[in-house]
Amino acid sequence: MSSRVLRKLQGDKDFANDQQNDNSDPESDLESTGGAKKKQLNINRYDLLNQQSHSESEVKEDDDHETEAANPPEEADDIRESSRRKKKKKKKKKPEFKSWSSHRSSEDNLELEKNEQSAVAWEPAAANYSKDLMGARKPILHVSRRNLNPNNELKRKFGSKVVQNEQSKRRGRGYPKPTCLVSPKENWLPIGKLGLSMKLVGNLHHDCTYFKYEHNTNYQQIQKRFLEAVESLNPDNIVAIINEHPYHVDTLIQLSDLCKMSEDLQMAAQLNERALYCLECAFHPLFNMAKGNCRLDYRRQENRALFITLFKHLTFVGQRACYRTALEICRLLLSLDPEEDPLGVILCIDFYALRSMKYEWLICAYEEWEPVRNVSQLPNFAFSVAMAYFQLDEDPESENKLVSNDLLQKALIMFPGVLLPLLDKCSVQPDSRVSSHPFFTTKAMMSQSPSLSQLIQLYICRNYHLWKECGMLDWLERNVHVVLDRVDECDQFVAECEEKRKRRYQKTPRNILRHIILSDMKEVKATLTEDSEGPILSYDPLPPLDSVNLYVRPQQPKMYEHSNVFTVFFRSLLPNFNINEPAPAVDGLQLMNDAGGGEEAEGAAAARVDLARSVTSLLDAMRDLLANVRLQPDIPNDADVDEDSED
């Protein structure tokens, strides 16, 4: 603090005299200060009461006046110029503000550090608790939109540089917009107005919203024309429909199956995606796939196309090893009608959960569904849940391992017919005790109904790859010997399971038959019952008995009493086909199987060759037709674009 301010605060009497001298003799002041003028101060005695609070600001102002007085104007200008140059050279730094904690004492700082550590420890605990709470509240059939796109899973596996995103390619005008389920291809035409829409039915029960598809007059005419084309036995009529209406759903499903029969899986998947894209574009604005509470009644004829296309789509996605996406599609498909499960998704959802390593989700689903659906009586769930517990923990003495051993033993006792076919599928030779014991051989075959055999064969054909992983067969072998010990000791649980097998699995439900037909596994054959006789149509296999039909199949003269639509359709492709001749009393599907010996075998072989050639020629023509469709004629192909081009 300067002496002038001190004198001013002390109330020195000489202060006023000095001020008078300064005012009376300005020339002497100019000489002493080098020509710099001093600032006049008007003193108010009452202002001295507030000088304590403003002392620092006045000190600074007074020091500035002293420096101005000490330096002449020219030197002051030089100093200002030099300071400006230095400021230009130096980089500007942000002012550093000291926190309040810097003014605290050491004890306060220690207490503050303890509080900060406890707050940091509480925040992770609260975050983990909130995540667990949200995961517990999230329903089992909740769907993640991001996981519905298989390209996202491929990018996570192989990287975004390896997977070419379809949206990054050059597009023309009117390019179809991508949806949650399907990424449109470049050669797809604009979808336009199809006449297909979805209507809100209402909230019936359990906070679920029900919807239904509707066909307008134009779409109904196309659908009737499609049904007539199927009954006319002329494949050109079906191709003509897809040429005029490239987004007719049932026609796309029919052609997709034909491509699959000719082993053109890429074209089959593309045609099915086009049908699914058409159905997704018709969604109602309130139809939210992520919530898992939107329902569709499978009994309605118009709603079945979405179920069929979704099931075929998850099959194609699973063949590309996108198991996480396939699991998400299973959850979506099951959420549309979880009570009835018209396509038997519960028979394959465990496989995709294990493949995508969602063991916790599978266990939660098992605990939620077991009291209601009794899923432990299905071979796939009985073995898959035990496998999920086994994969959760590596410690052999952990609780999860003990639970997995108990569940696997129960599964082997309930379904003894699984073991030997599973080992044979895995190319494993069992030991002498297992192969000679009647529990896994004769008794297993005698107490196993044809319906149960279908379920077991379906599980083995789909899940046998999981048992080839490291440590799985050793775990299976240990528990098999424990089961044999329990059987030799006449365990009461063994007799109870045998009684259940005899009493249950007497008739295959209709939804399981649809699942077997749509899965299209060569080792598993659908044994049709009396109420399921009739033609099996690929776009609507085994409709419900209480179906709500909008369309009725046109009745044609029954020249073929023992044939279905597929049989007549394939026979029409043969060069020696005559519609006036009655068909032989042989199922058309037997043309694909081996016949007996002699002349019958040669005739069947010739029929198969003619059929294969006819189907191949038809699919080649259809493939050329679909491949040549472009959005605009001037859109370049991928090969025409330079690799160095930024576009």
Side-chain angles (χ1 to χ4, degrees):
M1 188 178 292
S2 63
S3 60
R4 291 173 60 86
V5 176
L6 291 175
R7 289 169 58 190
K8 186 176 180 179
L9 294 174
Q10 293 174 0
D12 194 354
K13 295 180 180 180
D14 296 336
F15 182 77
N17 296 329
D18 293 339
Q19 289 295 104
Q20 291 178 0
N21 294 332
D22 294 338
N23 296 332
S24 62
D25 193 6
E27 294 180 358
S28 61
D29 195 10
L30 286 172
E31 292 177 359
S32 62
T33 59
K37 294 183 180 181
K38 292 185 177 181
K39 187 176 182 181
Q40 298 280 335
L41 297 175
N42 296 325
I43 301 174
N44 188 357
R45 294 295 182 182
Y46 294 100
D47 292 336
L48 295 176
L49 297 175
N50 299 326
Q51 291 296 327
Q52 186 68 26
S53 61
H54 301 288
S55 60
E56 294 181 2
S57 62
E58 291 181 0
V59 168
K60 185 176 181 180
E61 183 180 358
D62 189 71
D63 292 339
D64 294 338
H65 291 311
E66 289 180 359
T67 55
E68 290 178 4
N71 297 321
E74 296 178 357
E75 295 179 1
D77 294 336
D78 295 336
I79 291 173
R80 292 191 188 97
E81 287 294 328
S82 62
S83 64
R84 289 174 183 174
R85 292 174 183 174
K86 290 180 180 179
K87 287 181 180 179
K88 289 181 179 180
K89 293 181 180 180
K90 294 181 179 180
K91 296 181 179 179
K92 294 182 180 180
K93 296 182 179 180
K94 295 182 180 180
E96 298 180 0
F97 297 95
K98 295 183 178 180
S99 61
W100 291 350
S101 61
S102 62
H103 301 287
R104 298 177 184 267
S105 61
S106 60
E107 295 179 356
D108 294 337
N109 291 333
L110 290 175
E111 185 178 359
L112 182 63
E113 290 179 0
K114 291 180 180 179
N115 294 334
E116 290 179 352
Q117 291 177 359
S118 62
V120 170
W122 182 84
E123 288 178 358
N128 294 331
Y129 176 76
S130 62
K131 290 180 180 179
D132 295 339
L133 186 62
M134 291 299 293
R137 290 181 177 179
K138 187 178 295 186
I140 295 296
L141 299 180
H142 173 79
V143 177
S144 175
R145 293 179 180 270
R146 179 176 177 81
N147 293 326
L148 288 174
N149 191 351
N151 291 333
N152 295 331
E153 185 173 1
L154 292 175
K155 288 179 182 178
R156 290 194 297 267
K157 289 183 177 181
F158 306 106
S160 58
K161 294 182 179 180
V162 178
V163 181
Q164 296 292 334
N165 191 359
E166 296 291 340
Q167 298 179 358
S168 63
K169 296 180 180 180
R170 180 173 296 181
R171 303 167 179 168
R173 297 179 182 177
Y175 185 82
K177 295 181 180 180
T179 58
C180 295
L181 295 170
V182 179
S183 298
K185 303 299 186 292
E186 285 185 337
N187 59 346
W188 289 13
L189 295 173
I191 193 166
K193 296 182 180 180
L194 298 173
L196 182 66
S197 61
M198 181 180 285
K199 182 181 178 181
L200 176 64
V201 178
N203 301 328
L204 298 183
H205 57 86
H206 301 298
D207 296 331
C208 297
T209 308
Y210 282 78
F211 299 85
K212 68 175 182 179
Y213 276 101
E214 287 187 340
H215 299 168
N216 65 1
T217 305
N218 295 331
Y219 197 90
Q220 291 180 14
Q221 293 177 358
I222 301 172
Q223 184 70 17
K224 292 178 181 178
R225 182 182 171 187
F226 166 74
L227 296 176
E228 292 176 357
V230 173
E231 296 291 336
S232 66
L233 313 178
N234 189 357
D236 295 336
N237 296 335
I238 299 178
V239 177
I241 293 175
I242 202 62
N243 190 18
E244 298 178 9
H245 308 282
Y247 285 102
H248 185 255
V249 177
D250 289 342
T251 306
L252 291 171
I253 296 175
Q254 189 83 4
L255 293 178
S256 176
D257 285 345
L258 289 176
C259 291
K260 188 176 181 181
M261 291 180 60
S262 65
E263 299 182 357
D264 190 354
L265 299 180
Q266 184 177 2
M267 180 60 68
Q270 184 176 349
L271 292 171
N272 187 78
E273 288 179 358
R274 187 180 297 186
L276 184 59
Y277 176 73
C278 174
L279 292 168
E280 188 177 2
C281 290
F283 279 175
H284 193 274
L286 298 179
F287 189 84
N288 191 352
M289 297 183 294
K291 291 184 178 180
N293 61 349
C294 297
R295 303 288 187 262
L296 284 175
D297 190 358
Y298 191 79
R299 295 177 302 171
R300 291 186 175 272
Q301 197 174 23
E302 306 92 302
N303 295 341
R304 296 172 201 160
L306 182 61
F307 289 86
I308 301 299
T309 52
L310 279 175
F311 191 93
K312 292 178 179 292
H313 183 58
L314 77 89
T315 303
F316 289 123
V317 168
Q319 292 174 355
R320 298 170 59 186
C322 297
Y323 302 115
R324 183 67 181 88
T325 306
L327 173 62
E328 212 68 25
I329 298 173
C330 284
R331 292 160 69 173
L332 171 60
L333 188 55
L334 189 58
S335 68
L336 297 178
D337 194 353
E339 289 81 10
E340 298 295 333
D341 188 15
L343 299 185
V345 183
I346 202 169
L347 297 177
C348 63
I349 195 171
D350 60 299
F351 168 74
Y352 295 113
L354 292 175
R355 274 299 194 182
S356 58
M357 294 184 292
K358 295 296 178 181
Y359 308 122
E360 296 86 354
W361 180 89
L362 181 59
I363 293 173
C364 292
Y366 172 78
E367 293 175 352
E368 182 175 332
W369 293 339
E370 174 63 18
V372 181
R373 301 185 178 184
N374 201 14
V375 292
S376 62
Q377 301 303 303
L378 296 174
N380 59 309
F381 255 88
F383 285 92
S384 295
V385 174
M387 190 178 293
Y389 274 105
F390 180 80
Q391 297 286 1
L392 278 179
D393 201 346
E394 297 181 357
D395 187 7
E397 301 298 331
S398 63
E399 183 179 358
N400 291 328
K401 294 294 185 182
L402 298 178
V403 174
S404 66
N405 293 334
D406 182 65
L407 291 176
L408 181 58
Q409 293 171 17
K410 290 181 178 179
L412 289 171
I413 294 174
M414 184 64 193
F415 307 103
V418 173
L419 180 61
L420 293 182
L422 177 62
L423 295 178
D424 182 63
K425 194 72 175 177
C426 296
S427 301
V428 175
Q429 182 68 28
D431 56 14
S432 58
R433 184 189 180 190
V434 175
S435 59
S436 61
H437 202 284
F439 181 74
F440 288 113
T441 54
T442 56
K443 286 186 177 181
M445 298 301 297
M446 292 175 61
S447 62
Q448 188 169 291
S449 63
S451 299
L452 181 57
S453 300
Q454 287 181 336
L455 294 176
I456 290 175
Q457 195 67 23
L458 187 66
Y459 167 73
I460 294 173
C461 293
R462 179 176 282 136
N463 293 48
Y464 77 96
H465 289 287
L466 298 172
W467 292 98
K468 292 184 177 181
E469 296 180 0
C470 181
M472 299 303 298
L473 290 176
D474 296 336
W475 172 57
L476 177 63
E477 182 181 4
R478 292 193 300 268
N479 287 276
V480 164
H481 286 285
V482 174
V483 168
L484 291 179
D485 294 337
R486 295 176 62 178
V487 172
D488 295 338
E489 294 173 359
C490 299
D491 193 342
Q492 184 65 26
F493 183 71
V494 178
E496 293 176 359
C497 292
E498 184 177 359
E499 186 64 24
K500 289 180 181 180
R501 289 195 303 272
K502 293 179 180 179
R503 188 174 65 254
R504 300 174 181 175
Y505 314 106
Q506 298 301 321
K507 181 180 179 181
T508 305
R510 206 172 181 86
N511 61 338
I512 294 180
L513 292 176
R514 294 193 198 101
H515 180 89
I516 296 174
I517 293 171
L518 293 174
S519 298
D520 194 18
M521 294 183 179
K522 297 180 180 180
E523 296 86 353
V524 185
K525 297 181 180 180
T527 304
L528 302 181
T529 58
E530 295 179 357
D531 57 353
S532 59
E533 291 181 353
I536 300 177
L537 305 174
S538 60
Y539 60 90
D540 189 11
L542 299 179
L545 298 178
D546 55 349
S547 176
V548 181
N549 295 330
L550 177 63
Y551 306 98
V552 179
R553 294 176 57 243
Q555 298 294 330
Q556 297 291 338
K558 295 185 177 181
M559 299 293 295
Y560 303 89
E561 295 291 340
H562 302 279
S563 303
N564 53 29
V565 176
F566 271 119
T567 304
V568 179
F569 176 74
F570 289 133
R571 282 182 51 81
S572 66
L573 302 176
L574 299 177
N576 57 353
F577 174 74
N578 187 359
I579 193 171
N580 295 322
E581 293 181 359
V586 179
D587 191 357
L589 296 178
Q590 292 181 2
L591 294 175
M592 300 298 178
N593 302 328
D594 293 333
E599 297 180 356
E600 295 181 357
E602 295 178 358
R608 289 197 301 271
V609 173
D610 295 338
L611 176 61
R613 290 177 180 175
S614 302
V615 172
T616 303
S617 60
L618 173 63
L619 293 176
D620 290 339
M622 182 186 65
R623 194 178 299 112
D624 295 338
L625 174 64
L626 296 177
N628 292 329
V629 176
R630 285 291 182 269
L631 204 58
Q632 287 183 350
D634 56 345
I635 296 177
N637 295 327
D638 295 339
D640 298 333
V641 180
D642 296 335
E643 295 181 356
D644 299 333
S645 175
E646 295 181 358
D647 296 336

